Amino acid sequence: MINFKPLVTSALVGTLFALPQVAFAADPVSTPRAVDETTQIQDIVVTARRKEESLQSTPVAVTALSQAALITAKVENVLDLQRTAPGLTIARGSAGGDGIVFVSIRGQGNLQPILANDPAVATYIDGVYVARPSTGLTDIQDVQRIEVLRGPQGTLFGRNTTGGAVNILSNDPDHNLSVRVKGELGNYNTHGLGATVNVPLTDTLAFRVNYNFLEHDGYGRASNTGRDLADTTNHFVRAKLKYESGGLSVTLSGDYNKTHNHGQLISLQSINPAAIPVPSFIPVLQAGLHSRNNWWSNTATGTSIPSTNPAFAGLPADVKAMYGVQPFNQLEVYGFGAIVEGEVGEFKLKSITGYRHSKNYGLSDTDGTAAPLLATFAGSTSHYISQEFQVSGDITDQLSFISGAYYGIEKGIEFSRSQIFGGLIRDSNADATNKTAGLFTQAYYSITPAIRVVGGFRYTWDVRNTVLHNAQVLGQPYNQVNASTPTGINCTVTPSVPVTATTCNQNQDAKFHYPAWTAGLDWQVSDQLFLYVKTSGAAKAGGWNLRAGGLPAFKPEKVKDVEIGLKADLFDRRVRFNTAAFYTMKSDNQAIVNAFVPGIGVTQYIQNNGKVRIWGIESELTVIPWEGMTLNGNVSLQDGKYKKGSFSEIQVVAGSGCNASGVVNGCLVDLSGLPLIQLPHKQINLGATQKFDVSNGVLSVTGGWSYISSQHFDAVLAAPQQSAAVQAQYATENTLGKIPGYGLFNGRIAYQLENPNIEVAVYGRNIANKKYIVRRFPDLYRTLGISAEYAGYPGTYGVEVTVKF
C-alpha cells in the first residue's frame, strides 16, 4: 500500500505558503495576465472545458504543454508524453502492430483496443475525436499546445474518457509571412528534415503547411538475419486554411502520416516447456531467450512455409505469399477537419466536422525466435466521420452555458491471422460498424464574483454491429469439411446465414445508452490561489469480442470520481504549485477472464466483471529561482484494488467436484486480490532549464529525469483445487507480467542566434543507455508456453539546426 502522507503534506505546505501571499480579491483574475517572462511564470490558456480560459482558474486537473516546452523536451509523438504529465502512462508493443499505443491515466486504460473495444483515454486533434488508438503514434509537429486532462471528462468530451483525454491543438495560420526549416542528424543514421510555411493570402485568409520527414536505422537487429528492428521511415504533413471576417471564422485542415519499419523490439522472456508440444522447438527457443547480452536483438523469422503439409499446395497464391514472410509494420493515418465559428446575437455557435482514417498492418513474431511457434498478421482499417454542434453564451451576468450535439459513425475491418507451431494460418476477421450520438449541456453560475458552481449532463446512445468471418484455415472454402473444428467445417463461427464457399457470417448487434455528468464548486480565493472540488461520471463504450464467435457483448464500463484541487502562483509568480487528489469508483469493469458461455463452455473473453477503486494525488511544481533558470517537476502517487468479492472467474479442474454456474468441475475463483493493470504506484518527472545571454544570442541548457515504478500487464490466480504444477505455472505467469520500474535521463543544449534567426541544438535521450522494459506479454505462458517482452529504446543523440525567416 502506498503511503500518501509525504505528498499530502507537500500539498498542505503549498497551501500554507500561498495563504500569506494572498490579497483576498472580490474580483478574481480568470484571464491570462502579462508577465515578465524572464522572472515570472507565464499564464497558459487551455480549452479543458471546450472554451478558452486560464490554466490557473480551470477546475480540472490538466497539464498544458506549449510549443516551446514540447521542442525543449523533444516531445515528437504521443509516446514521449509519459515524461511530461503525472498519472499518465503509455506503453507500446502489440501483436496488432507497432503503431498501437496503450494510454492510461489514473489506472484507466485498455490493453485490447480493437475495433469493437474502445480506449479509456480519448485523443482529440483540433477538436476532432480520434477513434482508433492505432493513430496513437501520430507525429506531434507544429503544435500550439497539448493538454493532458486527468479524470473523467464525459460531459464535454463524451464517451471513452473515463481516464481522461489528450487534446492536441496545432498552430492556426496567421497573417505573418514566415518560414521555418529544421534539419536533424543523429546516431543510428538518423536524418530528418522539416519545414513550416505560413502565408497570408488576403486580409481575411491565411494558409499554413508543415512537412516532416524522419528516418533512422534499427535500434536493434535480428542477429540471425541481420535485419533491422525498430527502424523508422516516417512522413508527416499537415495543412490548414483559415478565414476570418466579420465575426465569422472558418478553419479547414488536413493531415497525413505514414510510417513503416522491419519489426518491433520483441524478445522471448521465458518459456514453459510443459506447454510446448514440439520438443524440437525447445532448444531453439532457449537459444533465443532475452538477456542483457542481446537486449536490443532477437532471432525472429516471421512465418514459416509448411512444405510438408499437403493442404498448403492447394491454397490461393495470395495466401501462399503470406508464408515465409519476415516481421514488418505499416501505419497510415490521415484526416480532415472543418471548424466554423460565428455569433448570433449574444450566443456563440460552433461546428466541428471531422473525418479520420487509420490503417495499420503488420506481422509480429510473438516468440521472437527462429522457432515457428507463433507469428501473427494483424491489422485494421477504420473510417470515422463525426459532426458536433455547440452553442454557448451568457444568459445573465452570473450564468453562462455551453450545450451541444454529437454524432459519429465508424466503419472498418479488423483481422488477426496466426500461424501456430508452423501450421496453416488461421483467420479471425470481422467487419464493424459503430454509431454514436450524444446531447450535452454544462452551466456555470457565479454565486459571488469569486465563487462558482458548475453542473453538466450528457446522454449517449451507441450502436455496435459486427459481422464475424472466422476460419480454421485461411484460403480454404468456408464450407470445406474440417473435422478439427467444433462446427465440422472451415467456418468456425455460429452462422447467421447458410455457410457457402465464400460466405461465413455471424451477425452481432448491440445497443447501449448511458449518462455522463459533472458537478463542482470552485473558489478564486485571490489572484494567486484557486481551489476547487468536483465529482464526475463517464463511461467507456460497450462492445464485442471479435476474435471468437458466440460470445456475449460487454456493457459500458462506468466510472465516477471525486476530486479536490489547488492551484497557486506564489512569490510574485516565481513559483507555481498545482495539486489534485482523487478517488475513483469503477463498475461493470471490462476484464478478460474465464467464464461459462452457453453452447461453448468455459472460455476466456472480455466481460463485465468486478468493481474497482483507485485513489491518488498528483502535484506539479514550476520554480524560477533566478533570472534564466526554470525548474519543473511533477509527481503522482496512486494505488487501487478490486472491491472484495466483486471479481471472479470459473476454472475447470478435472475431478474437483466443483459445480459453479452448473459447470461440471467448474471452480469459482475470487480474483479481487489481484493487482490492477497498468497502474504504477509512483511517477516522478523532473527538469531544469538554464538560459544564458551570450554574444548575439541565448544559450539554453536543459536536463530531465523521468521515473515510473513497476506495473503489471497481466495478473492471474489459480483455483486452490488446481494441482501444484498448475498453480506454479499461474504464479510464474504473474511474476512474468510485472515490469520493473525505470528512470531515464534526457537533455538538450541549444544556442539561439538573434540575427540570423538560427538555433543549433544537440540532444540526448536515454543518455545513460539504460536497458529497460516497456511491456510484457505473458498471456500465452500456460497455453503456448511462451512469455514475450518489449525492450525500451537505447540511448540516442543528435544535432538539430532550425532556421526561421
Side-chain angles (χ1 to χ4, degrees):
M1 190 70 66
I2 290 295
N3 182 4
F4 290 99
K5 289 182 180 179
L7 201 53
V8 172
T9 301
S10 71
L12 295 174
V13 170
T15 306
L16 293 174
F17 269 122
L19 291 177
Q21 311 246 346
V22 302
F24 289 85
D27 186 14
V29 177
S30 59
T31 57
R33 300 176 286 273
V35 298
D36 180 351
E37 296 183 9
T38 62
T39 58
Q40 294 180 305
I41 300 170
Q42 299 181 58
D43 241 333
I44 301 176
V45 175
V46 296
T47 54
R49 298 196 297 176
R50 307 302 293 270
K51 64 177 183 177
E52 291 189 348
E53 53 189 339
S54 169
L55 170 68
Q56 292 305 99
S57 59
T58 300
V60 177
V62 55
T63 298
L65 303 164
S66 66
Q67 182 176 25
L70 294 169
I71 292 173
T72 299
K74 201 166 174 58
V75 173
E76 296 181 337
N77 59 52
V78 174
L79 273 177
D80 295 330
L81 288 177
Q82 178 175 280
R83 50 189 169 86
T84 65
L88 171 66
T89 64
I90 303 176
R92 60 167 179 79
S94 166
D98 201 26
I100 294 179
V101 292
F102 307 97
V103 182
S104 174
I105 296 179
R106 293 182 175 177
Q108 307 290 335
N110 180 10
L111 294 179
Q112 291 273 335
I114 57 179
L115 206 57
N117 183 14
D118 292 343
V121 176
T123 300
Y124 279 79
I125 299 178
D126 289 331
V128 175
Y129 174 64
V130 178
R132 289 303 111 207
S134 60
T135 63
L137 284 179
T138 296
D139 272 16
I140 295 175
Q141 301 292 336
D142 194 34
V143 167
Q144 174 196 140
R145 185 175 68 253
I146 293 180
E147 301 166 358
V148 179
L149 286 64
R150 302 185 294 279
Q153 308 293 327
T155 306
L156 294 179
F157 286 88
R159 62 187 188 143
N160 305 328
T161 58
T162 51
V166 177
N167 192 22
I168 302 173
L169 303 165
S170 65
N171 282 311
D172 280 344
D174 57 40
H175 290 279
N176 297 309
L177 178 63
S178 62
V179 177
R180 178 179 180 270
V181 179
K182 186 184 89 168
E184 177 180 353
L185 292 174
N187 62 336
Y188 294 98
N189 194 28
T190 297
H191 49 282
L193 181 66
T196 302
V197 179
N198 189 96
V199 182
L201 302 176
T202 69
D203 291 342
T204 58
L205 189 66
F207 175 74
R208 189 180 187 94
V209 63
N210 168 258
Y211 170 76
N212 193 72
F213 167 78
L214 181 65
E215 188 172 57
H216 63 74
D217 293 342
Y219 292 146
R221 189 170 293 274
S223 58
N224 54 335
T225 64
R227 298 177 80 242
D228 277 355
L229 302 172
D231 57 320
T232 290
T233 299
N234 184 78
H235 298 269
F236 175 84
V237 64
R238 176 187 288 117
K240 300 182 80 171
L241 182 70
K242 185 170 185 177
Y243 169 84
E244 285 184 297
S245 179
L248 176 66
S249 171
V250 179
T251 304
L252 306 178
S253 63
D255 61 85
Y256 180 85
N257 193 187
K258 185 175 183 178
T259 185
H260 65 84
N261 66 34
H262 292 92
Q264 307 176 67
L265 281 176
I266 185 172
S267 298
L268 183 62
Q269 177 193 9
S270 182
I271 65 171
N272 177 12
I276 299 172
V278 185
S280 61
F281 285 2
I282 295 176
V284 181
L285 293 168
Q286 289 174 332
L289 283 170
H290 198 203
S291 71
R292 298 191 70 83
N293 294 326
N294 64 349
W295 195 259
W296 291 293
S297 67
N298 64 28
T299 56
T301 54
T303 55
S304 61
I305 299 176
S307 55
T308 60
N309 191 319
F312 176 72
L315 297 177
D318 60 330
V319 175
K320 284 184 178 180
M322 298 174 66
Y323 294 83
V325 177
Q326 296 185 337
F328 69 93
N329 290 283
Q330 299 173 351
L331 174 67
E332 181 184 57
V333 178
Y334 59 82
F336 305 96
I339 300 178
V340 181
E341 299 177 87
E343 297 181 0
V344 176
E346 299 297 320
F347 300 113
K348 297 179 181 179
L349 304 180
K350 188 173 186 178
S351 168
I352 304 173
T353 305
Y355 171 81
R356 301 299 308 178
H357 162 89
S358 69
K359 180 180 180 181
N360 66 287
Y361 180 44
L363 170 61
S364 178
D365 190 329
T366 309
D367 57 89
T369 73
L373 194 146
L374 176 61
T376 304
F377 290 95
S380 65
T381 299
S382 163
H383 306 269
Y384 187 73
I385 299 173
S386 62
Q387 177 61 55
E388 181 172 358
F389 294 107
Q390 298 176 8
V391 56
S392 60
D394 298 328
I395 298 176
T396 68
D397 291 342
Q398 294 173 286
L399 179 64
S400 62
F401 77 100
I402 179 172
S403 298
Y406 182 89
Y407 179 79
I409 180 170
E410 179 185 25
K411 293 186 177 182
I413 60 172
E414 177 104 16
F415 62 87
S416 175
R417 291 160 179 158
S418 300
Q419 183 185 41
I420 302 174
F421 302 128
L424 298 178
I425 294 175
R426 302 179 182 184
D427 184 23
S428 172
N429 78 89
D431 304 315
T433 300
N434 305 321
K435 300 178 182 178
T436 184
L439 297 172
F440 66 91
T441 188
Q442 187 155 307
Y444 314 90
Y445 182 75
S446 297
I447 300 174
T448 72
I451 300 176
R452 296 178 300 184
V453 292
V454 60
F457 185 80
R458 186 184 193 111
Y459 209 82
T460 297
W461 297 264
D462 288 342
V463 176
R464 309 300 292 256
N465 298 334
T466 64
V467 184
L468 306 184
H469 319 281
N470 298 344
Q472 183 69 14
V473 178
L474 176 66
Q476 290 184 350
Y478 286 123
N479 58 0
Q480 181 169 318
V481 174
N482 191 322
S484 67
T485 70
T487 60
I489 58 176
N490 192 35
C491 175
T492 59
V493 300
T494 303
S496 302
V497 296
V499 177
T500 68
T502 58
T503 302
C504 170
N505 296 345
Q506 178 181 340
N507 298 326
Q508 300 183 134
D509 301 327
K511 294 182 179 180
F512 308 103
H513 53 90
Y514 44 89
W517 46 268
T518 189
L521 172 71
D522 59 74
W523 178 23
Q524 186 78 58
V525 180
S526 72
D527 291 355
Q528 297 85 30
L529 180 62
F530 179 78
L531 306 173
Y532 71 90
V533 58
K534 72 182 185 75
T535 179
S536 302
K540 177 179 174 292
W544 288 99
N545 294 271
L546 295 184
R547 302 290 164 84
L551 300 177
F554 48 88
K555 299 182 296 184
E557 182 179 86
K558 299 172 183 176
V559 169
K560 55 185 177 181
D561 82 337
V562 176
E563 177 178 310
I564 58 173
L566 172 152
K567 300 185 178 185
D569 283 341
L570 312 172
F571 305 108
D572 194 25
R573 298 175 65 89
R574 285 181 174 267
V575 176
R576 174 168 292 169
F577 178 72
N578 295 347
T579 189
F582 66 91
Y583 185 83
T584 300
M585 297 154 281
K586 178 162 64 172
S587 59
D588 290 324
N589 177 51
Q590 294 173 4
I592 303 175
V593 293
N594 292 312
F596 174 74
V597 179
I600 295 179
V602 174
T603 187
Q604 189 177 76
Y605 65 99
I606 302 171
Q607 58 183 274
N608 299 102
N609 193 326
K611 297 180 179 179
V612 177
R613 303 292 183 262
I614 302 173
W615 56 91
I617 186 167
E618 306 152 341
S619 295
E620 298 178 279
L621 179 68
T622 302
V623 180
I624 300 180
W626 58 79
E627 184 173 347
M629 169 60 83
T630 302
L631 304 174
N632 57 75
N634 61 71
V635 60
S636 69
L637 296 180
Q638 51 190 2
D639 205 346
K641 64 181 180 179
Y642 293 100
K643 190 174 180 180
K644 187 175 181 180
S646 70
F647 188 37
S648 62
E649 73 173 7
I650 296 175
Q651 295 176 17
V652 175
V653 183
S656 64
C658 300
N659 194 37
S661 298
V663 178
V664 176
N665 292 322
C667 300
L668 187 67
V669 186
D670 182 5
L671 304 178
S672 56
L674 291 178
L676 300 181
I677 303 300
Q678 212 175 356
L679 180 69
H681 289 169
K682 298 178 184 178
Q683 281 180 271
I684 303 171
N685 298 299
L686 303 174
T689 297
Q690 175 67 62
K691 295 184 177 181
F692 304 93
D693 289 327
V694 295
S695 177
N696 192 33
V698 176
L699 179 67
S700 301
V701 180
T702 299
W705 179 71
S706 300
Y707 172 79
I708 183 169
S709 66
S710 61
Q711 53 185 311
H712 291 265
F713 285 89
D714 182 40
V716 295
L717 178 67
Q721 296 84 356
Q722 297 279 15
S723 68
V726 171
Q727 291 198 41
Q729 291 184 26
Y730 272 85
T732 300
E733 181 178 328
N734 244 343
T735 301
L736 296 174
K738 181 180 180 180
I739 69 170
Y742 60 89
L744 303 178
F745 288 95
N746 303 284
R748 187 174 188 265
I749 301 174
Y751 179 43
Q752 174 66 58
L753 289 166
E754 291 183 3
N755 188 20
N757 193 341
I758 298 176
E759 182 192 68
V760 179
V762 294
Y763 66 85
R765 305 212 294 189
N766 187 11
I767 293 173
N769 203 37
K770 184 176 182 60
K771 296 177 178 179
Y772 63 102
I773 298 297
V774 295
R775 189 192 173 190
R776 281 179 171 162
F777 184 67
D779 306 47
L780 304 175
Y781 181 77
R782 289 174 290 114
T783 54
L784 294 183
I786 58 171
S787 175
E789 61 186 10
Y790 298 82
Y793 293 150
T796 58
Y797 54 85
V799 59
E800 301 171 328
V801 178
T802 304
V803 182
K804 297 180 182 179
F805 303 96

